């Protein structure tokens, strides 16, 4: 009965006489590749059926090979000779046979490469349109965004009067356009809320975009009372109007009023400033309008630099013009003293650039770990094949020939991994797109396109060559009889290289784990921030009151009162309110504020205060605390003196050390009414959980200058708000079926959406860190398992001489502990560097947070200990007699 090879035993050596027979009787040119195949099959049979049966098989096949070769001596061998490229097909065939005989090794390497290459392909597909590709406009390098800066240096929108002065006075600009938000209701057919933009007449010409059908906006249409002209996106034209080309020149009904369709945009057009935009209308502002003032900062300014001028020159000129405006209107620009001119390209990736760069870095680390792991396995396999390599060398194979064989195997492994990686990337992309922020531009360009495939192919080839060169570089020219005499045991050089690779794996895994730990702790702290209201049991939805039925403010207010009353009557509803803005929803409506009784030279302007026009019960429904004075009441109407409730930050900024109750302020232009402060509310996080606390001013809805067309309904419930959502939606639609209801969400979902970027970064880092941890553990296991196999004779002798099981266990565990410990030490520096790169994504957590470092190091040490345990326990089972008999 044949005895199978022991799992921990060193690889059996082939019969020396058979090898000498092959060496003596086979020509080197004909026999080298054949010998390689025979030795590969010998090791495969030895692993499966035992060394004795494998040796008998090798004797038989050697004799057959020699007799066959002697009869056909002189025939050229297809495996050798000629250029390396001509020999590549033979190398690949031989590599395929070799890998087929090691299915577990091949499967593990393919999986490792597949995970790394798939992650890289998926992330590159996301990053390519956002970071690398030019904007889909004419001469995109000349396009810029122009912002004002507040006293904190943060970018804010511009007022129309500011935009108007800059576009007429700047000589370095070929043109400029202003863009504002617009969400009309399409009344033709079923009422639908559309996302759109109001733009000045030259907007599309500035981008170099022409309508595919019809015409652009005319300059004469960009004026008050002449703005009922629209241009449709290709998608909206197809979806709602069936692609009817006769629609151009006809009218459609928006908000119950007729609008002329001037044109339809090309199918590939994308609005960078609002990816969801489907319809555009002319802005139609003039400086005399109250909402076109300098402090009414609700517009974004797009500019094109003139041919021959640089962005730096345009920025310098706009700064000079802005300084002149600030000198002429000191009250309007007191707290926004500077401009910011940035490339429009930055607008595409500004919000997600830190996340993408961090994730690309994480993908790079995963690729390094994958290369190290596969190279380690290749090196271990090369050690096992030392006998075969020595015989090939003795038969005339040069070092380059052997290196080509290793590279061929590496390429095949990488190609298999690349194919698996592309399948993984194809499956990952929809999941990634589902997690990216909704406002992310160019989402339609995120796909596995030709560029992504080319980059993936190049990366695959590079990885295959690298993992093939590692064993080839370190293998050298094996000594035939030395290898056979030593029984196949490898030298210390290769063991040291394998150990060094494992140390690198542990260090890289620590870096990724620390990154995931920092992001996780940051997200936990961010979600524990006091947002200024209670998001639990709170339902939100947007409602609208537009069209001829609501041509007066009174009719719009009456509609909202009916809506609030109907929803409040539902079982389970505690409180109902409406607001012009919703915290953390991404809405932005900022106004400047003046304080009564201050001399001009000491006048304080609260730049960019958030305008909240709300119903009486809004603060109760939201759970916003009143710190001083009273809340707004139902008795605060258009027939009573104007009042406001200000946030604590407004009170501290405008009246430091004073009681703000009874003070008066003015919001907006100089012709707006003075409003008395009747209460102070807690600060609300409006722009983001991690953003600087902004200033809120709450105004009764009947005391504002106009009735907002779109408001958000907030509903406080007793139980689960999602369970009540269908009833609230039906009730809102029943109040007026001609008006759309949109964005039905719980407030907790709104809060979660505001952290979408950090959640995406954390999810990806955690996934990559888990892969790195697994690969590092497998690397430690592989090195120690190989160590036990190579030192089997030594362990057997130690045991025969009286070594205790505890001593044997310590011998193996100590080696693994040294590798893990050195990797942890080396990884700390990389982890600190990564923490600094992630600083923009961290909140209330330092890049070098010691608690995170300690926790991650402890986790990695625990996993490394478990990886060491299996080979250590195997070493305890080594029998002295078995080990010596194998020799």
């Amino acid at each position: 009965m044949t005895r199978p090879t022991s799992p921990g035993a060193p690889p059996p050596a082939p019969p020396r006489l058979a090898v000498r027979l092959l060496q003596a009787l086979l020509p080197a040119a004909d026999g080298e590749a054949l010998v390689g195949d025979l030795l590969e099959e010998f090791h495969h049979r030895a692993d499966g059926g035992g060394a004795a049966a494998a040796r008998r098989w090798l004797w038989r096949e050697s004799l057959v090979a020699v007799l066959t070769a002697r009869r056909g001596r002189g025939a050229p061998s297809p495996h050798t000779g000629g250029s390396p490229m001509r020999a590549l097909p033979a190398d690949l065939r031989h590599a395929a046979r070799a890998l087929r005989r090691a299915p577990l090794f091949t499967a593990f390497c393919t999986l490792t490469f597949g995970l790394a290459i798939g992650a890289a392909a998926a992330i590159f597909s996301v990053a390519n349109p956002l970071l690398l590709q030019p904007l889909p406009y004419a001469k995109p390098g000349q396009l810029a965004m122009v912002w004002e800066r507040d006293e904190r240096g943060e970018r804010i929108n511009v007022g129309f009067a500011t935009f108007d002065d800059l576009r007429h006075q700047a000589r370095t600009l070929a043109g400029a356009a202003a863009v504002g938000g617009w969400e009309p209701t399409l009344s033709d057919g079923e009422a639908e809320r559309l996302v759109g933009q109001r733009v000045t007449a030259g907007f599309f010409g500035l981008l170099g975009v022409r309508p595919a059908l019809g015409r652009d906006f005319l300059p004469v249409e960009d004026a008050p009372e002449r703005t009922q002209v629209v241009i449709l996106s290709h998608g909206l034209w197809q979806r709602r109007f069936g692609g009817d080309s006769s629609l151009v020149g006809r009218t459609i009904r928006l908000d119950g009023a007729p609008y002329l369709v001037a044109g339809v945009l090309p199918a590939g057009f994308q609005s960078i400033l609002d990816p969801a935009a489907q319809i555009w209308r002319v802005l139609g502002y003039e400086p005399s309008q109250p909402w076109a003032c300098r402090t009414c900062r609700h517009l974004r300014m797009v500019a094109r630099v003139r041919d021959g001028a640089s962005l730096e020159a345009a920025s310098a000129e706009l700064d000079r013009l802005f300084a002149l405006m600030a000198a002429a209107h000191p009250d309007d620009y007191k707290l926004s003293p500077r401009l910011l001119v940035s490339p429009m390209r930055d607008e595409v990736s500004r919000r997600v650039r830190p996340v993408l760069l961090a994730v690309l870095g994480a993908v790079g680390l995963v690729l390094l770990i994958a290369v190290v792991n596969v190279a380690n396995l290749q090196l271990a396999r090369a050690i096992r094949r030392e006998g075969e390599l020595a015989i090939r060398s003795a038969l005339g194979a040069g070092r380059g020939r052997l290196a080509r064989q290793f590279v061929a195997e590496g390429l095949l492994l990488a190609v298999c991994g690349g194919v698996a990686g592309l399948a993984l990337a194809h499956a990952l992309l929809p999941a990634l797109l589902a997690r990216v922020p909704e406002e992310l531009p160019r989402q339609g360009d995120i796909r596995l396109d030709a560029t992504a495939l080319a980059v993936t192919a190049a990366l695959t080839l590079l990885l295959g060559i690298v993992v093939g060169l590692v064993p080839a570089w370190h293998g050298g020219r094996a000594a035939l009889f030395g290898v056979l005499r030593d029984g196949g045991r490898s030298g210390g050089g290769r063991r040291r290289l394998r150990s060094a690779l494992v140390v690198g794996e542990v260090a890289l895994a620590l870096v990724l784990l620390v990154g995931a730990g920092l992001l996780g702790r940051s997200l936990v702290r961010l979600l524990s921030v006091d947002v200024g209201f209670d998001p639990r049991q709170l339902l939100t939805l947007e409602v609208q009151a537009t069209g001829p039925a609501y041509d007066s403010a009174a009719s719009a207010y009456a509609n909202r009162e009916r809506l609030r009353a109907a929803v409040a009557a539902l079982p389970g509803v505690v409180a109902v309110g409406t607001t012009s803005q919703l915290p953390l929803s991404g809405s932005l409506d900022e106004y400047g504020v003046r304080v009564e009784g201050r001399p001009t030279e000491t006048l304080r302007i609260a730049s960019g205060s958030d305008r909240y026009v709300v119903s009486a019960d809004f603060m109760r429904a939201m759970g916003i605390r009143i710190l001083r004075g009273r809340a707004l009441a139902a008795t605060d109407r258009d027939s009573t003196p104007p009042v406001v409730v200000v946030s604590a930050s407004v009170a501290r900024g405008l009246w430091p050390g004073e009681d703000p109750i009874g003070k008066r302020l003015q919001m907006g232009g100089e012709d707006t009414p003075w409003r008395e402060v009747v209460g102070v509310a807690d600060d609300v996080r409006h722009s983001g959980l991690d953003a600087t606390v902004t200033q809120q001013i709450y105004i009764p809805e009947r005391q504002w200058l106009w009735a907002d067309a779109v408001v958000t309904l907030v509903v406080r419930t007793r139980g689960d708000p999602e369970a009540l959502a269908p009833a609230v939606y039906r009730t809102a639609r029943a109040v007026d079926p001609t008006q759309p209801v949109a964005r039905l969400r719980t407030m907790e979902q709104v809060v979660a959406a505001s952290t979408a970027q950090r959640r995406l970064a954390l999810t990806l880092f955690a996934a990559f860190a888990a892969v790195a941890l697994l690969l590092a553990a497998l690397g430690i296991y592989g090195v120690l398992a190989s160590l036990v196999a190579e030192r089997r004779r030594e362990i057997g002798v130690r045991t025969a001489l009286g070594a205790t099981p505890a001593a044997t266990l310590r011998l193996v565990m100590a080696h693994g502990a040294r590798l893990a410990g050195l990797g942890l030490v080396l990884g700390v520096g990389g982890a600190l560097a990564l923490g600094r790169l992630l600083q923009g994504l961290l909140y209330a957590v330092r890049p070098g947070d010691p608690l995170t470092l300690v926790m991650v190091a402890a986790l990695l040490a625990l996993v490394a200990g478990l990886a060491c345990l299996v080979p250590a326990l195997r070493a305890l089972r080594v029998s002295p007699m078995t080990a010596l008999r194998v020799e």
Side-chain angles (χ1 to χ4, degrees), residues 94-140:
H94 180 75
R97 288 194 297 270
L99 294 177
R100 204 163 44 239
R101 296 188 187 109
L104 291 179
F105 167 82
T106 304
F108 180 78
C109 292
T110 300
L111 178 61
T112 301
F113 272 145
L115 289 173
I117 294 174
I123 299 303
F124 178 82
S125 298
V126 176
N128 185 36
L130 301 179
L131 300 180
L132 304 177
Q133 289 182 2
L135 296 178
Y137 305 134
K139 298 181 179 178

Side-chain angles (χ1 to χ4, degrees), residues 27 43 113 115 127-128 215 229 231 270 287 356 378 388 410 427 433 473 499 510 513 518 527 567 630 714 741 810 873:
H43 287 299
F113 272 145
L115 289 173
N128 185 36
R215 61 170 175 84
V229 183
I231 292 177
Q270 298 180 49
L356 286 177
Q378 281 277 69
E388 170 202 339
L433 283 172
W473 170 73
S499 298
L510 178 72
L513 284 167
L518 290 173
L527 294 177
V567 174
R630 69 171 178 87
V714 293
V741 175
R810 282 196 303 271
L873 293 177

Side-chain angles (χ1 to χ4, degrees), residues 205-224:
L206 191 76
L207 300 180
V209 175
R210 295 181 179 179
L213 293 176
R215 61 170 175 84
D216 201 345
F217 294 127
L218 302 176
V220 296
E221 294 169 336
D222 195 1

Side-chain angles (χ1 to χ4, degrees), residues 79 81-92 400-401 404:
H79 297 285
S83 67
M85 291 306 298
R86 291 182 61 186
L88 181 61
D91 291 335
L92 292 175
R401 175 68 181 83
R404 286 207 314 269

Side-chain angles (χ1 to χ4, degrees), residues 616 619 624-637 640-646 659-662 676-682 698 700 703:
M619 290 185 166
I624 299 175
R625 297 176 291 274
I626 297 296
L627 306 178
R628 187 180 303 172
R630 69 171 178 87
L632 300 179
T635 54
D636 296 320
R637 305 176 72 85
T640 60
V643 297
V644 294
V645 170
V646 300
D659 184 0
I661 304 300
E676 181 183 351
V677 177
V678 296
V680 177
D682 201 0
Y698 301 91
Q703 292 187 352

Side-chain angles (χ1 to χ4, degrees), residues 135 137-140 142-147 157-159 163-164 166-167 170 173-180 197-200 202-208 271-274 280 299-305 311 318 340-345 347:
L135 296 178
Y137 305 134
K139 298 181 179 178
Q142 295 179 342
L143 292 172
M145 300 293 299
V146 181
W147 311 86
N157 292 338
V158 301
F163 156 76
D164 199 43
L166 291 175
R167 71 167 166 173
L173 299 183
V179 182
Q197 292 176 320
R198 296 187 68 172
V199 298
T200 49
F203 175 71
F204 293 111
L206 191 76
L207 300 180
S271 174
I272 297 301
L273 301 184
D274 191 347
W280 288 262
L299 297 175
R300 286 181 285 181
M301 179 175 173
V302 184
R304 178 177 287 278
V305 178
L311 187 63
L318 292 175
L340 171 65
V341 181
S342 62
M344 191 177 183
R345 178 185 182 81
E347 186 66 15

Side-chain angles (χ1 to χ4, degrees), residues 424-719:
L424 177 63
H426 182 73
L428 280 178
L429 272 181
L432 276 177
L433 283 172
R435 288 182 171 271
V436 300
E438 293 181 1
E439 67 275 10
L440 183 70
R442 307 196 70 176
Q443 293 194 34
D445 292 333
I446 298 176
R447 59 183 180 272
L448 279 171
D449 57 8
T451 303
L453 293 176
V455 170
T456 303
L459 180 64
T460 298
L461 293 177
L462 177 63
L463 295 183
I465 292 172
V466 169
V467 300
L469 287 178
V470 170
W473 170 73
H474 202 267
R477 193 176 178 90
L480 169 63
F481 298 111
V483 170
L484 297 179
R485 182 174 57 251
D486 294 339
R489 291 188 293 273
S490 64
R494 281 179 174 161
R495 284 200 298 269
R496 286 191 294 272
L497 178 59
R498 294 195 65 200
S499 298
L501 292 176
V502 169
V503 168
E505 277 189 283
V506 173
L508 293 173
L510 178 72
V511 173
L512 280 175
L513 284 167
V514 168
L518 290 173
L519 290 172
R521 292 200 66 210
S522 176
L523 185 61
V524 169
R525 293 198 174 185
L526 190 64
L527 294 177
S528 64
V529 165
D530 182 8
V531 293
F533 56 87
D534 184 3
R536 299 168 299 177
Q537 298 176 320
L538 192 60
L539 190 66
T540 72
L541 67 157
E542 291 186 4
V543 293
Q544 198 159 328
T546 55
Y550 304 105
D551 56 359
S552 67
S555 59
Y557 295 143
N559 170 267
R560 278 161 204 159
E561 287 181 356
R562 291 194 301 270
L563 175 63
R564 290 192 293 263
V567 174
L570 292 174
V573 173
V574 176
V576 180
T578 52
T579 176
S580 59
Q581 290 197 91
L582 185 68
L584 301 176
S585 65
S587 58
L588 187 66
D589 194 7
E590 299 176 340
Y591 282 75
V593 175
R594 295 173 174 80
V595 177
E596 185 182 38
R598 300 285 176 86
T600 303
E601 62 271 14
T602 60
L603 189 63
R604 293 293 304 275
I605 308 294
S607 175
S609 291
D610 300 318
R611 177 190 73 105
Y612 276 77
V613 177
V614 301
S615 65
D617 231 12
F618 168 75
M619 290 185 166
R620 175 171 168 250
M622 286 291 294
I624 299 175
R625 297 176 291 274
I626 297 296
L627 306 178
R628 187 180 303 172
R630 69 171 178 87
L632 300 179
T635 54
D636 296 320
R637 305 176 72 85
D638 50 4
S639 58
T640 60
V643 297
V644 294
V645 170
V646 300
S647 65
S649 59
V650 173
R652 287 192 302 269
L654 297 182
W655 300 282
E658 301 179 43
D659 184 0
I661 304 300
K663 306 292 186 182
R664 297 211 307 170
L665 56 79
Q666 192 178 46
M667 191 172 194
E670 295 181 2
D671 56 347
T672 57
W674 291 97
R675 305 174 188 276
E676 181 183 351
V677 177
V678 296
V680 177
D682 201 0
D683 285 325
V684 166
R685 299 273 178 169
H686 179 78
S687 301
L689 297 180
D690 60 338
T692 305
V693 174
T694 55
Q695 306 170 110
Q696 292 85 41
I697 296 179
Y698 301 91
I699 304 168
E701 66 176 1
R702 287 183 175 268
Q703 292 187 352
W704 185 242
L705 306 175
W706 62 80
D708 288 278
V710 178
V711 296
T712 299
L713 185 77
V714 293
V715 183
R716 172 71 58 185
T717 65
R718 290 191 181 88

Side-chain angles (χ1 to χ4, degrees), residues 27 64 110 231 289 292 297 314 336 365 443 454 548 615 667 721 769 790 886:
V64 171
T110 300
I231 292 177
Q289 295 170 316
R297 298 178 175 92
S336 59
L365 293 178
Q443 293 194 34
S615 65
M667 191 172 194
E790 293 166 9
V886 169

